[in-house]
Amino acid sequence: MALAAAPEFLIFGKSGQLARSLAAQARCEDVSLLCAGRDIADLTIPGHARALIERLQPRFVINAAAYTAVDRAEDETLLCNAINADAPGEMAKACASQGSRFIHVSTDYVFNGESDTPYTEDSEPDPINFYGQSKLEGELKALNSYDQTTIVRTSAVFSGLGDDFPCKILNLAASRETLRIVDDQITGPTPAAELARRLFALARSPSAYGVFHCAGQPFVSWAGFAAAFLEQEGSAIGTRVIPVSSEEYPTRARRPKRSRLGGDRLKEATGLHSPQWQQSLGLMLDAWRASR
Ligand SMILES: NC(=O)c1ccc[n+]([C@@H]2O[C@H](COP(=O)([O-])OP(=O)(O)OC[C@H]3O[C@@H](n4cnc5c(N)ncnc54)[C@H](OP(=O)(O)O)[C@@H]3O)[C@@H](O)[C@H]2O)c1
């Protein structure tokens, strides 16, 4: 496939919510960028990612692609590992040989969720599902292949685009008076646009290598998060959230209960605070309404 002149940023991922938010942020910052979907680089095929990096020689590579189906990952382990573990390792090696910066996006699910305090960048990972295990392997392969790798762990990414948690709940709410949502899993909902802004800032921060955390504040349960955006959309919907326990809502993959990413490294490297998720609900609802 013929590609235009080399972009400054090469993004792996195209239709995903973070890839789309990175593309939107690049337009705001007047940055040249190419978003490579699986039509250009299929991450299940060894060598595809490396070949693209070698051909384009971008200054920055951000990996926003992943196998994100947490429950299906328990069964599709080979596929999940190829995308989440092997591909980032290959990208890091290619970036090392080109001298490109490599920023790889990871997850709070590398932790077991049992800590009483938020996890810092130095906390010991201990994933409790296959998706989390594959993402941790991806982190390690990338860091071990290239010491100038930046890993950015995030949680509960939302945008109002596609298939994120708010879209699923808002679409269900259109036909339900009540919704049962887990109230004993705590997370930090992270607006994809705010994450994208911080990824560009980290990329430009000269020695921001190693692990960083970027999660929305304040921490909230999934039920609490849903209640907040349903209330904001209340005039149109009016669906009531019924909080339930994880035991009452069993899933194929176990979820960490207190999945709270803390740590100061993002602020120290970029001057940017953790995003406040309530401030992004309006934009998320606009995107959801526009996509209906
Ligand atoms: N969503 C969350 O709540 C959440 C929470 C914590 C961490 N994260 C992490 O944040 C990052 C971005 O997630 P997201 O929410 O934007 O995910 P998403 O909306 O599910 O998008 C996944 C992306 O991965 C790409 N992809 C999947 N399989 C591929 C393959 N075989 N070859 C090439 N590309 C492939 C897709 O490519 P196409 O464009 O071709 O479809 C898509 O762009 C991921 O690293 C994820 O692990 C997400």
Side-chain angles (χ1 to χ4, degrees):
M1 178 182 186
L3 296 170
E8 190 180 11
F9 280 81
L10 169 61
I11 311 297
F12 284 97
K14 186 176 181 185
S15 66
Q17 54 172 340
L18 179 57
R20 290 167 71 179
S21 298
L22 284 162
Q25 183 65 27
R27 285 192 290 277
C28 295
E29 297 192 15
D30 202 18
V31 159
S32 77
L33 141 158
L34 175 85
C35 287
R38 68 193 85 188
D39 52 330
I40 297 182
D42 184 341
L43 300 184
T44 62
I45 302 177
H48 265 201
R50 191 194 64 235
L52 190 62
I53 292 168
E54 286 175 357
R55 182 145 57 111
L56 294 177
Q57 300 185 5
R59 269 186 74 199
F60 304 95
V61 174
I62 302 181
N63 182 22
Y67 180 106
T68 54
V70 176
D71 289 312
R72 248 190 1 248
E74 299 293 313
D75 303 307
E76 295 185 334
T77 53
L78 289 178
L79 183 62
C80 177
N81 249 347
I83 298 168
N84 289 354
D86 299 340
E90 180 184 309
M91 291 173 196
K93 277 188 194 142
C95 286
S97 71
Q98 300 293 325
S100 308
R101 274 295 293 274
F102 182 48
I103 294 95
H104 172 63
V105 182
S106 191
T107 174
D108 55 325
Y109 279 19
V110 298
F111 295 113
N112 62 22
E114 287 169 17
S115 172
D116 289 334
T117 52
Y119 293 100
T120 72
E121 293 88 350
D122 293 322
S123 300
E124 195 63 38
D126 176 27
I128 58 170
N129 58 41
F130 194 84
Y131 166 76
Q133 179 65 41
S134 71
K135 293 291 291 184
L136 177 60
E137 274 182 42
E139 290 185 4
L140 296 173
K141 285 191 179 200
L143 288 166
N144 291 336
S145 302
Y146 187 23
D147 57 4
Q148 294 184 13
T149 290
T150 304
I151 305 284
V152 185
R153 295 186 186 132
T154 186
S155 59
V157 179
F158 71 94
S159 58
L161 302 168
D163 202 25
D164 63 356
F165 174 76
C167 287
K168 282 183 193 145
I169 296 297
L170 286 159
N171 291 338
L172 277 175
S175 59
R176 305 263 186 96
E177 284 181 10
T178 57
L179 283 170
R180 291 156 51 83
I181 303 179
V182 289
D183 197 34
D184 60 357
Q185 292 171 26
I186 308 296
T187 189
T190 309
E194 294 298 324
L195 173 60
R197 197 153 75 87
R198 285 156 180 78
L199 289 172
F200 280 118
L202 276 171
R204 294 203 183 90
S205 178
S207 51
Y209 306 130
V211 177
F212 292 78
H213 286 175
C214 176
Q217 297 283 334
F219 299 121
V220 65
S221 73
W222 289 100
F225 180 39
F229 60 73
L230 286 169
E231 190 180 324
Q232 194 150 333
E233 182 63 10
S235 56
I237 294 183
T239 300
R240 199 160 48 87
V241 171
I242 301 182
V244 297
S245 67
S246 303
E247 287 69 32
E248 291 173 276
Y249 192 84
T251 49
R252 175 81 178 90
R254 285 172 66 209
R255 293 338 196 236
K257 287 227 167 138
R258 290 186 291 273
S259 216
R260 298 169 298 178
L261 295 178
D264 300 324
R265 285 193 195 153
L266 174 73
K267 170 78 176 31
E268 285 162 9
T270 65
L272 293 169
H273 290 277
S274 302
Q276 297 293 309
W277 58 263
Q278 284 112 326
Q279 293 172 6
S280 294
L281 291 186
L283 280 177
M284 179 277 286
L285 289 167
D286 288 347
W288 170 71
R289 284 187 211 106
S291 68
R292 293 174 80 198

